[in-house]
Short mmCIF file of all heavy atoms in Angstrom, two decimals:
data_model
loop_
_atom_site.label_atom_id
_atom_site.label_comp_id
_atom_site.label_asym_id
_atom_site.label_seq_id
_atom_site.Cartn_x
_atom_site.Cartn_y
_atom_site.Cartn_z
N ARG A 74 -33.86 -19.21 16.72
CA ARG A 74 -33.57 -19.20 18.15
C ARG A 74 -33.17 -20.60 18.64
O ARG A 74 -32.29 -20.75 19.47
CB ARG A 74 -34.78 -18.71 18.92
CG ARG A 74 -34.51 -18.48 20.38
CD ARG A 74 -35.68 -17.82 21.03
NE ARG A 74 -35.78 -16.45 20.55
CZ ARG A 74 -35.71 -15.40 21.32
NH1 ARG A 74 -35.56 -15.54 22.61
NH2 ARG A 74 -35.79 -14.19 20.82
N GLU A 75 -33.84 -21.64 18.11
CA GLU A 75 -33.55 -23.01 18.55
C GLU A 75 -32.13 -23.44 18.17
O GLU A 75 -31.43 -24.05 18.95
CB GLU A 75 -34.55 -24.01 17.93
CG GLU A 75 -35.99 -23.80 18.34
CD GLU A 75 -36.69 -22.74 17.48
OE1 GLU A 75 -36.39 -22.64 16.28
OE2 GLU A 75 -37.52 -22.00 18.04
N GLU A 76 -31.74 -23.12 16.95
CA GLU A 76 -30.40 -23.50 16.47
C GLU A 76 -29.35 -22.47 16.83
O GLU A 76 -28.17 -22.69 16.56
CB GLU A 76 -30.43 -23.67 14.95
CG GLU A 76 -31.35 -24.73 14.44
CD GLU A 76 -31.41 -24.73 12.92
OE1 GLU A 76 -30.38 -24.42 12.29
OE2 GLU A 76 -32.47 -25.03 12.38
N LYS A 77 -29.77 -21.37 17.42
CA LYS A 77 -28.88 -20.24 17.73
C LYS A 77 -28.11 -19.80 16.49
O LYS A 77 -26.90 -19.67 16.48
CB LYS A 77 -27.91 -20.60 18.86
CG LYS A 77 -28.62 -20.86 20.16
CD LYS A 77 -27.64 -21.14 21.27
CE LYS A 77 -28.39 -21.40 22.56
NZ LYS A 77 -27.53 -21.68 23.67
N LYS A 78 -28.88 -19.59 15.42
CA LYS A 78 -28.32 -19.23 14.13
C LYS A 78 -28.52 -17.73 13.91
O LYS A 78 -29.62 -17.21 14.09
CB LYS A 78 -29.00 -20.02 13.03
CG LYS A 78 -28.27 -20.06 11.73
CD LYS A 78 -28.94 -21.05 10.80
CE LYS A 78 -28.09 -21.29 9.58
NZ LYS A 78 -28.70 -22.25 8.68
N TYR A 79 -27.44 -17.05 13.49
CA TYR A 79 -27.45 -15.60 13.30
C TYR A 79 -26.86 -15.23 11.95
O TYR A 79 -26.10 -15.99 11.36
CB TYR A 79 -26.63 -14.92 14.40
CG TYR A 79 -27.22 -15.10 15.77
CD1 TYR A 79 -26.91 -16.22 16.53
CD2 TYR A 79 -28.08 -14.17 16.30
CE1 TYR A 79 -27.46 -16.40 17.79
CE2 TYR A 79 -28.62 -14.32 17.56
CZ TYR A 79 -28.32 -15.44 18.30
OH TYR A 79 -28.86 -15.61 19.54
N LYS A 80 -27.23 -14.04 11.52
CA LYS A 80 -26.64 -13.49 10.31
C LYS A 80 -26.11 -12.09 10.64
O LYS A 80 -26.84 -11.27 11.20
CB LYS A 80 -27.66 -13.40 9.18
CG LYS A 80 -27.11 -12.70 7.95
CD LYS A 80 -27.90 -12.79 6.67
CE LYS A 80 -29.31 -12.48 6.67
NZ LYS A 80 -29.92 -12.37 5.34
N MET A 81 -24.86 -11.86 10.34
CA MET A 81 -24.27 -10.54 10.51
C MET A 81 -24.06 -9.93 9.13
O MET A 81 -23.55 -10.60 8.24
CB MET A 81 -22.93 -10.57 11.24
CG MET A 81 -22.29 -9.21 11.35
SD MET A 81 -20.66 -9.26 12.08
CE MET A 81 -21.02 -8.53 13.65
N ILE A 82 -24.48 -8.69 8.98
CA ILE A 82 -24.32 -7.98 7.72
C ILE A 82 -23.46 -6.74 7.98
O ILE A 82 -23.75 -5.96 8.88
CB ILE A 82 -25.68 -7.55 7.14
CG1 ILE A 82 -26.60 -8.76 6.97
CG2 ILE A 82 -25.48 -6.82 5.82
CD1 ILE A 82 -28.03 -8.40 6.64
N ILE A 83 -22.39 -6.62 7.19
CA ILE A 83 -21.55 -5.42 7.25
C ILE A 83 -21.76 -4.66 5.95
O ILE A 83 -21.46 -5.17 4.87
CB ILE A 83 -20.06 -5.77 7.45
CG1 ILE A 83 -19.87 -6.53 8.76
CG2 ILE A 83 -19.21 -4.52 7.42
CD1 ILE A 83 -18.48 -7.02 9.00
N HIS A 84 -22.30 -3.47 6.05
CA HIS A 84 -22.57 -2.63 4.89
C HIS A 84 -21.35 -1.74 4.63
O HIS A 84 -21.19 -0.70 5.26
CB HIS A 84 -23.80 -1.75 5.13
CG HIS A 84 -25.06 -2.52 5.38
ND1 HIS A 84 -25.85 -2.99 4.37
CD2 HIS A 84 -25.65 -2.92 6.54
CE1 HIS A 84 -26.88 -3.63 4.88
NE2 HIS A 84 -26.79 -3.60 6.19
N ASN A 85 -20.50 -2.15 3.71
CA ASN A 85 -19.30 -1.36 3.41
C ASN A 85 -19.61 -0.08 2.66
O ASN A 85 -18.77 0.80 2.57
CB ASN A 85 -18.29 -2.19 2.63
CG ASN A 85 -17.48 -3.09 3.54
OD1 ASN A 85 -16.97 -2.64 4.54
ND2 ASN A 85 -17.41 -4.36 3.20
N ASP A 86 -20.83 0.04 2.13
CA ASP A 86 -21.21 1.31 1.50
C ASP A 86 -21.53 2.37 2.54
O ASP A 86 -21.45 3.55 2.27
CB ASP A 86 -22.38 1.11 0.54
CG ASP A 86 -23.61 0.53 1.21
OD1 ASP A 86 -23.46 -0.14 2.24
OD2 ASP A 86 -24.72 0.75 0.68
N ARG A 87 -21.86 1.96 3.75
CA ARG A 87 -22.11 2.90 4.85
C ARG A 87 -20.89 3.08 5.75
O ARG A 87 -20.76 4.09 6.42
CB ARG A 87 -23.23 2.38 5.75
CG ARG A 87 -24.57 2.33 5.13
CD ARG A 87 -25.55 1.91 6.21
NE ARG A 87 -26.70 1.27 5.61
CZ ARG A 87 -27.55 0.53 6.29
NH1 ARG A 87 -27.38 0.32 7.57
NH2 ARG A 87 -28.57 -0.02 5.67
N CYS A 88 -20.04 2.09 5.78
CA CYS A 88 -18.90 2.07 6.70
C CYS A 88 -17.97 3.25 6.46
O CYS A 88 -17.64 3.57 5.32
CB CYS A 88 -18.14 0.75 6.53
SG CYS A 88 -16.76 0.55 7.65
N ILE A 89 -17.53 3.87 7.55
CA ILE A 89 -16.59 4.99 7.43
C ILE A 89 -15.17 4.55 7.79
O ILE A 89 -14.28 5.38 7.92
CB ILE A 89 -17.03 6.19 8.29
CG1 ILE A 89 -17.15 5.81 9.76
CG2 ILE A 89 -18.33 6.78 7.76
CD1 ILE A 89 -17.43 6.97 10.69
N HIS A 90 -14.98 3.25 7.99
CA HIS A 90 -13.66 2.65 8.23
C HIS A 90 -12.95 3.27 9.42
O HIS A 90 -11.75 3.50 9.39
CB HIS A 90 -12.80 2.72 6.97
CG HIS A 90 -13.48 2.14 5.77
ND1 HIS A 90 -13.54 0.79 5.56
CD2 HIS A 90 -14.17 2.72 4.77
CE1 HIS A 90 -14.23 0.55 4.46
NE2 HIS A 90 -14.63 1.71 3.96
N CYS A 91 -13.73 3.52 10.47
CA CYS A 91 -13.15 4.13 11.68
C CYS A 91 -12.50 3.08 12.58
O CYS A 91 -11.67 3.40 13.41
CB CYS A 91 -14.22 4.89 12.45
SG CYS A 91 -15.54 3.85 13.13
N GLY A 92 -12.90 1.82 12.46
CA GLY A 92 -12.32 0.75 13.27
C GLY A 92 -12.93 0.63 14.65
O GLY A 92 -12.44 -0.13 15.48
N GLN A 93 -14.01 1.35 14.92
CA GLN A 93 -14.64 1.31 16.24
C GLN A 93 -15.21 -0.07 16.54
O GLN A 93 -15.16 -0.54 17.67
CB GLN A 93 -15.74 2.37 16.33
CG GLN A 93 -16.33 2.50 17.71
CD GLN A 93 -15.31 2.90 18.75
OE1 GLN A 93 -14.53 3.81 18.55
NE2 GLN A 93 -15.29 2.20 19.87
N CYS A 94 -15.71 -0.77 15.53
CA CYS A 94 -16.26 -2.11 15.73
C CYS A 94 -15.17 -3.08 16.19
O CYS A 94 -15.38 -3.89 17.09
CB CYS A 94 -16.93 -2.61 14.46
SG CYS A 94 -15.89 -2.58 13.00
N ALA A 95 -14.01 -2.99 15.59
CA ALA A 95 -12.89 -3.86 15.97
C ALA A 95 -12.37 -3.49 17.37
O ALA A 95 -11.96 -4.36 18.13
CB ALA A 95 -11.77 -3.76 14.95
N GLU A 96 -12.41 -2.19 17.69
CA GLU A 96 -11.97 -1.72 19.01
C GLU A 96 -12.88 -2.25 20.11
O GLU A 96 -12.41 -2.64 21.17
CB GLU A 96 -12.07 -0.21 19.07
CG GLU A 96 -10.92 0.68 18.86
CD GLU A 96 -9.62 0.36 19.48
OE1 GLU A 96 -9.50 0.49 20.71
OE2 GLU A 96 -8.70 0.06 18.74
N SER A 97 -14.19 -2.22 19.88
CA SER A 97 -15.13 -2.56 20.94
C SER A 97 -15.44 -4.05 21.04
O SER A 97 -16.09 -4.46 21.99
CB SER A 97 -16.42 -1.76 20.78
OG SER A 97 -16.89 -1.79 19.48
N CYS A 98 -14.98 -4.87 20.10
CA CYS A 98 -15.25 -6.30 20.16
C CYS A 98 -14.41 -6.95 21.27
O CYS A 98 -13.18 -6.92 21.21
CB CYS A 98 -14.94 -6.96 18.81
SG CYS A 98 -15.34 -8.71 18.79
N PRO A 99 -15.05 -7.55 22.28
CA PRO A 99 -14.28 -8.12 23.40
C PRO A 99 -13.48 -9.36 23.02
O PRO A 99 -12.48 -9.67 23.66
CB PRO A 99 -15.35 -8.44 24.44
CG PRO A 99 -16.60 -8.61 23.67
CD PRO A 99 -16.48 -7.70 22.49
N THR A 100 -13.91 -10.08 21.97
CA THR A 100 -13.21 -11.31 21.58
C THR A 100 -12.34 -11.12 20.35
O THR A 100 -11.78 -12.08 19.84
CB THR A 100 -14.22 -12.43 21.30
OG1 THR A 100 -15.08 -12.02 20.23
CG2 THR A 100 -15.04 -12.76 22.53
N LYS A 101 -12.26 -9.90 19.85
CA LYS A 101 -11.48 -9.56 18.63
C LYS A 101 -11.95 -10.39 17.43
O LYS A 101 -11.16 -10.84 16.62
CB LYS A 101 -9.97 -9.75 18.86
CG LYS A 101 -9.43 -8.91 20.01
CD LYS A 101 -9.64 -7.45 19.74
CE LYS A 101 -9.13 -6.62 20.91
NZ LYS A 101 -9.82 -5.36 21.03
N ALA A 102 -13.28 -10.58 17.34
CA ALA A 102 -13.85 -11.31 16.21
C ALA A 102 -13.88 -10.46 14.95
O ALA A 102 -13.92 -10.98 13.85
CB ALA A 102 -15.26 -11.78 16.56
N ILE A 103 -13.86 -9.15 15.12
CA ILE A 103 -13.84 -8.24 13.96
C ILE A 103 -12.45 -7.64 13.85
O ILE A 103 -11.90 -7.12 14.82
CB ILE A 103 -14.89 -7.12 14.10
CG1 ILE A 103 -16.29 -7.71 14.12
CG2 ILE A 103 -14.76 -6.12 12.97
CD1 ILE A 103 -17.39 -6.70 14.24
N THR A 104 -11.89 -7.74 12.66
CA THR A 104 -10.59 -7.13 12.37
C THR A 104 -10.74 -6.26 11.13
O THR A 104 -11.70 -6.39 10.38
CB THR A 104 -9.51 -8.20 12.12
OG1 THR A 104 -9.95 -9.04 11.05
CG2 THR A 104 -9.26 -9.04 13.36
N MET A 105 -9.78 -5.39 10.92
CA MET A 105 -9.78 -4.52 9.75
C MET A 105 -8.75 -5.06 8.76
O MET A 105 -7.60 -5.28 9.13
CB MET A 105 -9.43 -3.08 10.14
CG MET A 105 -10.33 -2.48 11.21
SD MET A 105 -12.04 -2.36 10.74
CE MET A 105 -12.01 -0.92 9.71
N ASN A 106 -9.19 -5.31 7.53
CA ASN A 106 -8.24 -5.80 6.54
C ASN A 106 -7.50 -4.65 5.88
O ASN A 106 -7.68 -3.49 6.25
CB ASN A 106 -8.96 -6.68 5.50
CG ASN A 106 -9.93 -5.90 4.63
OD1 ASN A 106 -9.96 -4.68 4.60
ND2 ASN A 106 -10.77 -6.63 3.92
N SER A 107 -6.65 -4.93 4.93
CA SER A 107 -5.87 -3.88 4.27
C SER A 107 -6.36 -3.62 2.84
O SER A 107 -5.62 -3.12 2.02
CB SER A 107 -4.39 -4.25 4.26
OG SER A 107 -4.21 -5.47 3.58
N GLU A 108 -7.60 -3.96 2.58
CA GLU A 108 -8.16 -3.77 1.25
C GLU A 108 -8.63 -2.33 1.09
O GLU A 108 -9.35 -1.80 1.94
CB GLU A 108 -9.34 -4.73 1.09
CG GLU A 108 -9.85 -4.85 -0.30
CD GLU A 108 -10.91 -5.93 -0.40
OE1 GLU A 108 -10.71 -7.01 0.17
OE2 GLU A 108 -11.93 -5.65 -1.04
N PHE A 109 -8.21 -1.67 0.02
CA PHE A 109 -8.63 -0.29 -0.19
C PHE A 109 -9.24 -0.06 -1.56
O PHE A 109 -9.78 1.00 -1.82
CB PHE A 109 -7.46 0.67 0.03
CG PHE A 109 -6.34 0.52 -0.94
CD1 PHE A 109 -6.27 1.27 -2.09
CD2 PHE A 109 -5.33 -0.40 -0.70
CE1 PHE A 109 -5.23 1.12 -2.98
CE2 PHE A 109 -4.27 -0.55 -1.57
CZ PHE A 109 -4.23 0.20 -2.72
#
Side-chain angles (χ1 to χ4, degrees):
R74 188 172 290 241
E75 297 84 35
E76 299 174 33
K77 296 183 180 180
K78 197 171 190 179
Y79 295 87
K80 174 167 50 169
M81 177 185 251
I82 304 170
I83 299 175
H84 299 275
N85 279 311
D86 58 335
R87 293 185 206 163
C88 183
I89 59 174
H90 307 281
C91 65
Q93 186 61 47
C94 54
E96 262 317 289
S97 47
C98 183
T100 61
K101 302 299 178 208
I103 296 181
T104 57
M105 304 299 281
N106 67 12
S107 59
E108 192 173 316
F109 64 93

